[in-house]
Amino acid sequence: MGWRLIIQKEDVAQDVVPTAQVRSAKDYHKHRYQKGIPEGVKDLPPGVALPLESNLTFMNGVSFTKGCYIGQELTARTQHMGVIRKRLFPIRFSAPVTAEGISAGATVLTESGKQAGKYRAGEDDVGIALLQSEKIKVPLYIKTSQGHQVNIIPSVPDWWPKANK
């Protein structure tokens, strides 16, 4: 997933990590979306995002041995059943979209107009969406705020465990 280095303004990143490349926050978010990594309330809306659907188990963000935590019963039951029908997937737009072009929570649709999921966030031509796993191989689209249809191409990140690809 790369590194995110936070240093004093007067320090030089290459002095700390010689192979470091200084990039903008926009570049960081694009990289994160390309890898399917959620961050913060924009990508993980409180009361809506579930840990297993958000791939937090893949990042060691959920413990199945720890004591009590909010949502533990649902999370443990879902893990035990082994069926997670929706996941956050990285998506690529068929054309760059402005940040205001698609609102968070916009519906992702199949060619036949059936709901396939919800858009979470993005940057330029990449983003993340909560999609039904069974529908990621069919043509999908999303409507912009102006009503234009933009095709999206989901992908399965290379860092996911092999059994989930």
Side-chain angles (χ1 to χ4, degrees), residues 124-140:
D124 293 337
D125 62 340
V126 296
I128 55 173
L130 182 67
L131 301 173
Q132 295 172 27
S133 299
E134 66 190 27
K135 294 185 178 171
I136 67 162
K137 300 219 185 272
V138 301
L140 299 173

Side-chain angles (χ1 to χ4, degrees), residues 80-151:
H80 177 70
M81 298 298 284
V83 179
I84 301 164
R85 291 184 173 85
K86 298 180 289 184
R87 287 198 179 275
L88 274 181
F89 286 92
I91 59 170
R92 188 170 37 86
F93 295 105
S94 58
V97 178
T98 62
E100 304 81 33
I102 301 174
S103 58
T107 302
V108 176
L109 301 166
T110 65
E111 238 178 357
S112 62
K114 293 185 179 177
Q115 184 171 333
K118 298 278 186 189
Y119 173 74
R120 286 282 174 81
E123 190 77 53
D124 293 337
D125 62 340
V126 296
I128 55 173
L130 182 67
L131 301 173
Q132 295 172 27
S133 299
E134 66 190 27
K135 294 185 178 171
I136 67 162
K137 300 219 185 272
V138 301
L140 299 173
Y141 72 91
I142 195 166
K143 288 192 176 180
T144 66
S145 304
Q146 297 81 24
H148 301 111
Q149 181 175 311
V150 178
N151 295 331

Side-chain angles (χ1 to χ4, degrees), residues 20-40:
Q21 296 176 2
V22 178
R23 300 283 176 93
S24 68
K26 181 178 179 176
D27 290 335
Y28 164 74
H29 291 295
K30 280 186 73 165
H31 177 72
R32 200 170 56 70
Y33 292 138
Q34 289 167 338
K35 296 291 185 184
I37 309 294
E39 177 184 272

Side-chain angles (χ1 to χ4, degrees), residues 21-89:
Q21 296 176 2
V22 178
R23 300 283 176 93
S24 68
K26 181 178 179 176
D27 290 335
Y28 164 74
H29 291 295
K30 280 186 73 165
H31 177 72
R32 200 170 56 70
Y33 292 138
Q34 289 167 338
K35 296 291 185 184
I37 309 294
E39 177 184 272
V41 296
K42 186 175 177 184
D43 301 339
L44 303 167
V48 176
L50 298 175
L52 299 180
E53 291 179 349
S54 301
N55 307 317
L56 298 183
T57 54
F58 298 165
M59 296 179 272
N60 297 319
V62 176
S63 172
F64 295 102
T65 58
K66 181 184 177 289
C68 297
Y69 57 88
I70 296 174
Q72 178 183 13
E73 294 83 9
L74 174 62
T75 301
R77 185 173 57 245
T78 305
Q79 174 72 7
H80 177 70
M81 298 298 284
V83 179
I84 301 164
R85 291 184 173 85
K86 298 180 289 184
R87 287 198 179 275
L88 274 181
F89 286 92

